[in-house]
Amino acid sequence: MSEPKVFRLPDLGEGLTEAELVNWLVSVGDEIRVDQPIAEVETAKSMVEVPSPYAGTVAVLHGEPGQTLDVGKPLISVMPVGAVGANSTAAVDESAAAVAAEVYREEEKAGSGNVLIGYGTPGGHGVARRSRAPKRPVAQVSEAEKAADDLLLMRTRVPGKLGAVISPLVRRMARDHGVDLGELQGSGTSGLIMRRDVEAAIKPARDTEEPEWRLAEPPGPASPAAGNTDARTGLGISARTPVRGVRKAVAANMSRSRSEIPEATVWVDVDATALVELRAALKKADPHDTPGLLAFIARFVTAGLKKFPELNTRIVTTEDTTGGASQEIVAFDGVNLGFAAQTDRGLMVPSVRNADKLSARELDAEIRRLTAVVREGKATPAELGSGSFTLNNYGVFGVDGSAAIINHPEVGILGVGRIIDKPWVVDGELAVRKVTELTLTFDHRVCDGGTAGGFLRFVADAIENPGSVLADL
């Protein structure tokens, strides 16, 4: 009899080591074809659909939405086309159960890091996900108990589909508390019995006695409401949100930026009246093909980086022949201009590749395209991780200034505040002008204040006198 083919979560680019399973696009028992999307996963970079390399019948879905899966761990098991006839569904059941049991044994030997029921197993990277200590070490589980677990798995299968219980921890929790799995209706995919189902079944017992598995928790306040109260403030806890996906990547990148980069900030107020009037005139002449103000500023930024290339660099640490570390400043032939875009999944920074070679209209079109892509969650790792300098238009949030954090490993970020009417002295006379604030945060290792100030002044002068600057670009 043919065995199911196990497809493992692939590296989705940029050396990412994990992804969150967002949604299954197939169910157990479905017939699928090669390259058919089977799941949506969210990495630290973007939301992607994972295609199947196999055709056949879905036998096992290794996970449920919300889980974080490690690269290289089982994602789906597929019974190849022609391997099972119409009257051989029992064989599919047995093979699927065997695959699940084998995955369990592999996890016990080395630890997978997968989160099957909200705990995780030893051997995964990062912070351990286990919230409660196990009743006893996995290594002490006898072969007889393993066999009993496997028999229980077979007894509680959904006919023609995935076994109703995959996780050995769920089965063991049920056995320790006398819960009959055959009487439970699973809330997971295809009737999969989850940890929450077993907990719901044993909940009445908690009102009269303290379950043994609860005694393994670290000691804490004795109050029954302690789990819903913050110990430091005494306030009730309204929600707990795991830091994962894009938010996890942003947090790690910002923390690294703060810890590694000795940054400094300079800023200047700018009279943007001439730029606003220039765009208004262009829009009057051609309402359908007028670049936005951000595109013009992006054009000035790329021109400024050509004059002050120190801000379009990266610091790289390498090992020398003696085993020590040395650093070098790597300069680039061209500018990949990143820009901050707010999405439902958090702040994203796609980059316009070779932005220094594009006109204001071309920059505007690419900025709009990339903004749409990241908001749909379809940006590629290359589009999100290849910037050499970042432009941040936080003025859209109605604020004037911000000491931004550099997008590591870049060495500079320019922020643009809102454009508002302010009193301004023009030719000795007080006038109302369109004023904005530019803020440059830079890595003090690659340049000093003179270079940073020169770049900032160049961009400011270009905004104040856009006609003369654009004529030279």
Side-chain angles (χ1 to χ4, degrees):
M1 180 181 64
S2 298
E3 294 292 332
K5 292 186 176 181
V6 180
F7 174 45
R8 299 174 183 274
L9 181 66
D11 183 349
L12 300 169
E14 297 290 309
L16 298 172
T17 59
E18 65 180 15
E20 179 185 343
L21 177 58
V22 176
N23 183 44
W24 284 113
L25 302 179
V26 297
S27 301
V28 172
D30 286 356
E31 295 291 333
I32 62 173
R33 63 182 185 280
V34 173
D35 290 335
Q36 177 178 335
I38 56 174
E40 288 182 327
V41 300
E42 181 181 33
T43 70
K45 300 285 187 179
S46 61
M47 184 95 70
V48 296
E49 290 184 347
V50 180
S52 171
Y54 308 126
T57 303
V58 177
V60 181
L61 302 178
H62 298 282
E64 65 168 322
Q67 286 185 239
T68 298
L69 305 177
D70 290 337
V71 168
K73 297 305 178 182
L75 180 64
I76 188 172
S77 296
V78 179
M79 187 63 68
V81 174
V84 181
N87 298 322
S88 302
T89 55
V92 176
D93 293 340
E94 294 174 6
S95 297
V99 170
E102 182 60 29
V103 170
Y104 166 39
R105 292 191 180 96
E106 288 179 359
E107 290 170 354
E108 282 190 322
K109 290 177 182 177
S112 68
N114 285 354
V115 184
L116 292 177
I117 60 164
Y119 285 110
T121 58
H125 59 81
V127 179
R129 301 184 182 93
R130 185 179 299 278
S131 60
R132 301 183 178 92
K135 182 182 176 183
R136 51 182 169 173
V138 174
Q140 296 178 8
V141 179
S142 68
E143 290 299 325
E145 288 176 327
K146 290 182 187 177
D149 282 341
D150 293 339
L151 288 174
L152 183 58
L153 170 65
M154 297 294 290
R155 186 174 70 83
T156 56
R157 289 200 316 270
V158 175
K161 293 190 176 182
L162 171 68
V165 182
I166 271 189
S167 171
L169 295 176
V170 172
R171 300 202 301 274
R172 188 164 296 118
M173 182 186 294
R175 185 182 61 215
D176 290 345
H177 292 274
V179 175
D180 186 355
L181 292 174
E183 300 296 323
L184 293 185
Q185 177 63 43
S187 62
T189 304
S190 299
L192 187 68
I193 296 176
M194 310 302 297
R195 170 173 167 257
R196 58 178 174 265
D197 302 321
V198 177
E199 286 183 333
I202 63 178
K203 187 176 181 180
R206 295 180 183 171
D207 297 333
T208 56
E209 62 179 355
E210 183 72 6
E212 191 175 354
W213 61 274
R214 286 285 301 274
L215 298 178
E217 292 184 338
S223 169
N228 296 320
T229 304
D230 179 58
R232 189 181 73 84
T233 64
L235 297 175
I237 297 174
S238 60
R240 295 180 184 272
T241 304
V243 179
R244 58 193 181 197
V246 173
R247 179 54 55 192
K248 180 179 179 180
V250 170
N253 201 46
M254 295 300 98
S255 297
R256 186 175 183 185
S257 179
R258 282 296 197 199
S259 65
E260 293 185 12
I261 298 177
E263 61 186 33
T265 303
V266 291
W267 60 91
V268 63
D269 287 337
V270 182
D271 180 3
T273 305
L275 179 59
V276 173
E277 291 175 347
L278 172 64
R279 183 177 181 275
L282 291 173
K283 189 171 184 179
K284 185 176 181 180
D286 187 357
H288 305 294
D289 191 23
T290 304
L293 291 174
L294 185 64
F296 283 109
I297 297 174
R299 190 69 188 92
F300 302 149
V301 167
T302 59
L305 291 174
K306 285 187 176 181
K307 291 181 66 70
F308 300 92
E310 298 93 333
L311 289 166
N312 189 46
T313 60
R314 180 174 300 171
I315 288 187
V316 177
T317 302
T318 57
E319 285 190 5
D320 55 32
T321 55
T322 63
S326 61
Q327 291 184 326
E328 61 181 2
I329 298 175
V330 177
F332 303 113
D333 182 16
V335 178
N336 286 355
L337 185 63
F339 64 94
Q342 191 66 39
T343 74
D344 292 340
R345 299 169 57 241
L347 185 68
M348 312 287 284
V349 187
S351 59
V352 179
R353 301 178 69 88
N354 298 308
D356 54 308
K357 296 180 174 60
L358 303 181
S359 67
R361 280 193 173 88
E362 292 170 329
L363 283 168
D364 185 71
E366 188 64 2
I367 288 172
R368 292 179 187 277
R369 184 191 72 82
L370 287 170
T371 300
V373 167
V374 296
R375 286 177 176 168
E376 294 170 359
K378 302 299 183 182
T380 66
E383 289 172 329
L384 290 171
S386 60
S388 60
F389 186 89
T390 295
L391 176 61
N392 184 8
N393 179 25
Y394 44 74
V396 297
F397 301 116
V399 297
D400 298 330
S402 170
I405 300 176
I406 296 172
N407 186 23
H408 185 280
E410 298 169 15
V411 299
I413 179 171
L414 179 70
V416 183
R418 60 177 178 166
I419 299 177
I420 59 174
D421 290 340
K422 281 188 176 182
W424 197 264
V425 176
V426 181
D427 298 328
E429 300 290 336
L430 193 63
V432 177
R433 308 289 285 184
K434 302 291 186 182
V435 178
T436 186
E437 182 179 279
L438 301 182
T439 306
L440 174 67
T441 303
F442 64 98
D443 188 335
H444 225 315
R445 295 175 297 177
V446 302
C447 68
D448 296 323
T451 299
F455 169 79
L456 187 62
R457 190 66 256 172
F458 175 88
V459 177
D461 291 343
I463 292 173
E464 292 183 341
N465 302 282
S468 60
V469 174
L470 289 173
D472 296 330
L473 295 180

